[in-house]
Amino acid sequence: MTTSILVTGGTGTLGRAVVAHLRETGHQPLVMSRRPGPDHVVADLLTGDGVDAALDGVDVVINCATTLSGKKDVIATRTLVDAVRRAGCRHLVHVSIVGIDRIRFGYYNGKLASEELVRAVPHTILRATQFHDLLRKIFSVLAKLPVVFVPDVRFQPVDVRDVAVRLVELAMGPPLGRAADFGGPEVRDAVDLARSHFGGKRRIVPIRLPGKAFRALREGFNLTPEHADGKITFEEHA
Ligand SMILES: NC(=O)c1ccc[n+]([C@@H]2O[C@H](COP(=O)([O-])OP(=O)(O)OC[C@H]3O[C@@H](n4cnc5c(N)ncnc54)[C@H](OP(=O)(O)O)[C@@H]3O)[C@@H](O)[C@H]2O)c1
């Protein structure tokens, strides 16, 4: 019997890699999106429109959908979890972020509350470190000033293709609850990553940002060196 798999957020940075890996490994995933497209089921996790229909007959959901606001993320996750329960799906695989219980950003608070909601159905939660794409996006924004000021923190960036392989592996197995965290292959200073990103073309100045969240980052709660399972380095991602 074939497994029917739905990837929410299948048009996003991680979701696209998950959909691509599922296709490469012989699956025909459905993609939840707010916009029509090939293999798309159109639904909106904030309004609830189309969500029950999208989950009809689905065995496994890989949840890569997110909004930029922690509060909206909680609403979207609640809508998804309720629909997963009604549809009787076998497994909800949910992507989260390493260290969200120790680092107090508003978005992270929403991710933590979402993890609690997910526990109401058969689930696996995978917390990953920051994606290479995110760091490159942040560096591009910081580059708008003549000097690039980079916080004195470390990251263990991971490639979404590596995370996608792990998510698909988890999706094919039984619900595990919280899976082991998943990190990139190297822990690096943000300044060092920025130098690599700009290839020596920009002046980079480390700065210390105030606040508890940045202190938690300096303490390394966003890292999981014991799970440096991703293979693709920041430079290989370029
Ligand atoms: N970025 C990182 O460094 C990082 C690290 C660890 C974990 N994560 C987690 O990984 C997951 C994916 O992140 P990402 O960076 O790949 O996200 P992304 O590129 O911003 O993609 C977001 C996706 O969510 C969908 N979406 C947004 N609002 C929706 C709504 N109301 N209803 C249905 N779908 C909606 C979008 O689909 P449409 O626009 O097509 O509707 C899009 O496919 C998130 O849970 C994030 O917290 C991210």
Side-chain angles (χ1 to χ4, degrees):
M1 209 178 76
T2 54
T3 307
S4 167
I5 305 170
L6 172 74
V7 183
T8 64
T11 58
T13 309
L14 174 62
R16 282 195 305 272
V18 171
V19 169
H21 184 62
L22 282 165
R23 288 188 180 137
E24 280 157 19
T25 52
H27 301 278
Q28 291 180 310
L30 295 167
V31 172
M32 182 191 286
S33 171
R34 289 164 297 174
R35 288 179 298 271
D39 295 326
H40 284 197
V41 282
V42 175
D44 188 325
L45 288 169
L46 285 179
T47 62
D49 290 345
V51 177
D52 280 324
L55 274 113
D56 189 28
V58 166
D59 302 307
V60 175
V61 178
I62 305 180
N63 182 22
C64 302
T66 189
T67 69
L68 287 177
S69 130
K71 284 193 179 131
K72 284 187 182 164
D73 243 40
V74 174
I75 296 169
T77 307
R78 183 175 290 119
T79 304
L80 180 64
V81 168
D82 288 347
V84 161
R85 193 193 298 111
R86 282 193 294 272
C89 302
R90 179 173 69 71
H91 194 177
L92 170 61
V93 180
H94 177 79
V95 187
S96 194
I97 307 174
V98 169
I100 52 169
D101 41 356
R102 317 282 291 270
I103 308 167
R104 311 316 306 176
F105 288 125
Y107 179 69
Y108 283 17
N109 294 342
K111 294 293 297 182
L112 195 59
S114 289
E115 285 190 0
E116 277 307 315
L117 294 172
V118 164
R119 294 201 172 93
V121 292
H123 70 279
T124 299
I125 294 168
L126 180 68
R127 289 185 178 180
T129 54
Q130 281 67 44
F131 303 158
H132 295 319
D133 309 77
L134 175 71
L135 294 189
R136 291 191 187 282
K137 248 183 242 165
I138 292 173
F139 292 146
S140 304
V141 172
L142 297 177
K144 293 196 185 343
L145 291 175
V147 173
V148 184
F149 294 102
V150 175
D152 60 348
V153 300
R154 289 169 298 154
F155 289 106
Q156 189 181 343
V158 70
D159 197 284
V160 288
R161 289 165 289 182
D162 285 332
V163 181
V165 170
R166 182 75 185 119
L167 283 173
V168 170
E169 244 169 43
L170 291 169
M172 294 307 140
L176 297 179
R178 169 106 180 263
D181 289 353
F182 193 90
E186 306 172 316
V187 173
R188 307 258 301 263
D189 285 339
V191 164
D192 173 41
L193 290 164
R195 287 202 180 102
S196 162
H197 177 78
F198 293 111
K201 293 192 193 99
R202 297 297 303 266
R203 189 169 154 236
I204 293 162
V205 175
I207 49 161
R208 175 148 299 206
L209 290 174
K212 282 188 186 156
F214 280 97
R215 193 183 323 137
L217 286 178
R218 278 194 294 279
E219 287 178 27
F221 292 132
N222 59 323
L223 309 173
T224 180
E226 64 284 14
H227 295 294
D229 301 319
K231 294 192 170 40
I232 303 168
T233 64
F234 189 69
E235 281 72 21
E236 286 165 346
H237 166 267

